Amino acid sequence: MTDDTLLLGPTLRFDGDPFHLPWAEAVSIDTDGAVLLRDGHIADVGRAAALTVAHPRARQLRYDADRLICPGFVDAHMHYPQTAIIASWGKRLIDWLNDYTFPEEMRLADPTYAREIAARYLDLTLAQGTTTVASYCTIHPHSVDALFGAAADRGLRIVAGKTCMDRNAPEGLRDTAQSAYDDSKALITRWHGRGRATYAITPRFSPTSTPDQLAALGALWTEHPDCLMQTHLSEQTDEIDWVRDLYPQARDYLDTYETHGLLGERAVYGHAIHLTPREIDRLAETGAALVHCPTSNTFIGSGLFDLRGLAGRGIPAGLATDTGGGSSFSMLRTMAAAYEIGQLRGTPLHAAQLIWLATAGSARSLHLQDRIGSINPGQEADLTILDLASTPAIAQRSANASDIWETLFATIMMGDDRAIAEVWIAGRQIPAPP
Ligand code: GUN
Ligand code: ZN
């Protein structure tokens, strides 16, 4: 007997980065593809005819031509504690934080509520085909335990960290430089590298940390250089003005991180919309990653991220919902919003680039590209099977498509959780939601 499973059907393949190669050289769809799953990993990939012969004892699952076997989606920046306040009306960033976000994050002081929201969030996003997220938690260490625990229960690969804030946040949502260091260090010991977990040292953003706290977290990162460091950078112009007032010595926003040891190759900055030439140069020199959060940037009114320009400078970028500043849990909707922002900048993205961003691109921004994000031998078998005709509106457009890319583009632009036919985690199909 063998536990091998052979998935047969249209398969999305990556051979490179479609922002540096012509997209058709980097991304392909094998309409007669096959993927062999063994021990939670992808063991073989190729043509159906060849793999059925090579692996005759494997259990076979055949997908129709209107299905697409994709890597699971990777959401490279989001806030699980904001699940219950997604789509809160009418504010810009700082008022949105004060009026909606901080009161909700305060509720996660209750460990039972934190566990309830962590479970709810992961189930909502799994239904959207998202198999890995990089999440901010709250200042409460138990909020980190809640998310890592809920991810472990579901077998998910995950990135998360305790959000650190020691000023400009309400009483009850502030830690100190020392407690942020101590709590984060204990959480690294408890979770980093355990199962499928990666710890990200997480100062929320420069306005809510004192220089002492940033320095303490910079020191912690030096002690644990294999952790990621995630934070926010240059999301809104009024936020940048505030940073200038709070850090009068700093050359720019990025410098507030750099001078405290919080710039490096494993840094991941969300948003990064309003960058100066010096900041772009430093990001390119250090290899730090950016994360594009398009539904958030339109919802909170932040601006238009320059994906093409920054990719042209060799700066890696991932894609993210930024739940709950972002207005959707869906990476399909997020790809659509990235397309729309590209259009507003005069740089439309191809479907191949959009789906690469939501999978391999996001995985690379989190330094997980060797484990997840593409369908290659050795990768962990996290897969999302798309239904490319999931609604009458999409089906009629697909029927009129001249090639598979037009078909996929219709699902990217109009698809929702009905387009998620199946989700596989570490080689096992997860049951459909009740
Ligand atoms: N900047 C600092 N905190 C946040 C947050 O929670 N969401 C967004 N969108 N931006 C932030
Ligand atoms: Zn964010």
Side-chain angles (χ1 to χ4, degrees):
M1 264 315 270
T2 161
D3 273 343
D4 292 0
T5 302
L6 189 57
L7 309 184
L8 301 162
T11 305
L12 183 71
R13 299 294 310 276
F14 300 139
D15 291 307
D17 173 346
F19 288 89
H20 290 119
L21 294 173
W23 69 261
E25 282 175 32
V27 185
S28 57
I29 292 175
D30 184 348
T31 48
D32 271 319
V35 185
L36 185 78
L37 312 184
R38 178 182 295 155
D39 297 335
H41 287 74
I42 294 169
D44 202 357
V45 183
R47 310 301 317 269
L51 264 61
T52 44
V53 171
H55 306 286
R57 290 160 62 84
R59 176 176 72 115
Q60 293 187 3
L61 289 177
R62 263 177 213 284
Y63 295 100
D64 292 341
D66 62 3
R67 295 289 193 267
L68 180 62
I69 305 170
C70 298
F73 298 147
V74 180
D75 185 343
H77 175 123
M78 48 70 52
H79 302 253
Y80 94 83
Q82 298 170 17
T83 298
I85 55 116
I86 192 169
S88 292
W89 185 84
K91 309 281 183 188
R92 286 178 62 79
L93 176 61
I94 306 306
D95 291 337
W96 177 85
L97 284 172
N98 286 319
D99 292 357
Y100 299 125
T101 307
F102 290 160
E104 179 63 15
E105 292 193 7
M106 208 102 77
R107 295 182 66 198
L108 276 83
D110 173 1
T112 305
Y113 187 63
R115 282 194 297 274
E116 179 191 326
I117 292 293
R120 186 192 303 173
Y121 169 75
L122 289 179
D123 290 341
L124 282 168
T125 48
L126 272 169
Q128 303 284 355
T130 300
T131 52
T132 290
V133 301
S135 184
Y136 291 58
C137 300
T138 62
I139 67 146
H140 316 99
H142 64 247
S143 75
V144 186
D145 294 329
L147 186 64
F148 277 129
D153 291 345
R154 290 160 181 76
L156 296 172
R157 182 161 282 290
I158 186 146
V159 177
K162 176 193 125 70
T163 295
C164 301
M165 299 196 276
D166 67 344
R167 64 168 163 173
N168 295 318
E171 179 70 34
L173 268 195
R174 289 194 304 269
D175 49 18
T176 66
Q178 189 64 48
S179 73
Y181 172 93
D182 292 341
D183 288 345
S184 302
K185 193 170 180 70
L187 287 162
I188 290 169
T189 306
R190 188 140 77 243
W191 290 109
H192 183 61
R194 177 168 154 192
R196 304 186 77 192
T198 297
Y199 195 86
I201 294 166
T202 308
R204 178 175 219 119
F205 66 157
S206 294
T208 48
S209 287
T210 59
D212 279 354
Q213 183 172 78
L214 293 183
L217 295 174
L220 181 63
W221 197 22
T222 306
E223 292 160 31
H224 298 277
D226 55 330
C227 288
L228 296 173
M229 192 291 300
Q230 60 177 355
T231 190
H232 297 84
L233 176 67
S234 297
E235 181 176 357
Q236 288 206 339
T237 49
D238 22 11
E239 170 205 12
I240 297 168
D241 294 342
W242 193 25
V243 169
R244 199 173 294 119
D245 290 346
L246 290 168
Y247 294 86
Q249 322 290 351
R251 286 171 289 184
D252 46 45
Y253 198 154
L254 186 65
D255 199 35
T256 64
Y257 297 127
E258 184 167 5
T259 52
H260 297 102
L262 296 171
L263 173 63
E265 205 195 339
R266 293 178 77 82
V268 188
Y269 301 102
H271 304 289
I273 298 167
H274 309 283
L275 298 175
T276 65
R278 192 202 82 89
E279 289 175 303
I280 295 171
D281 288 345
R282 287 299 291 143
L283 289 165
E285 281 160 18
T286 51
L290 304 179
V291 184
H292 181 24
C293 307
T295 71
S296 170
N297 297 161
T298 51
F299 184 76
I300 312 186
S302 302
L304 307 178
F305 182 71
D306 182 13
L307 183 59
R308 284 254 197 204
L310 293 161
R313 293 295 311 272
I315 300 172
L319 188 68
T321 62
D322 191 31
T323 306
S327 54
S328 173
F329 296 103
S330 162
M331 288 299 283
L332 287 173
R333 172 74 197 104
T334 304
M335 289 179 236
Y339 174 77
E340 289 160 354
I341 287 187
Q343 281 287 59
L344 288 170
R345 293 198 68 101
T347 54
L349 302 175
H350 192 271
Q353 294 174 311
L354 292 165
I355 198 126
W356 182 89
L357 264 184
T359 53
S362 281
R364 187 184 60 176
S365 74
L366 301 173
H367 293 261
L368 292 173
Q369 68 273 20
D370 295 339
R371 295 167 187 247
I372 56 168
S374 50
I375 298 179
N376 283 320
Q379 288 259 311
E380 296 166 2
D382 293 346
L383 301 171
T384 290
I385 316 293
L386 289 180
D387 176 352
L388 299 176
S390 60
T391 66
I394 296 174
Q396 64 86 36
R397 178 63 184 89
S398 295
N400 191 40
S402 57
D403 65 19
I404 183 79
W405 294 109
E406 260 188 55
T407 302
L408 175 60
F409 188 61
T411 285
I412 288 175
M413 294 309 298
M414 297 196 287
D416 54 28
D417 53 339
R418 289 168 292 181
I420 309 303
E422 292 174 13
V423 179
W424 291 66
I425 301 295
R428 302 221 170 276
Q429 185 185 352
I430 62 165

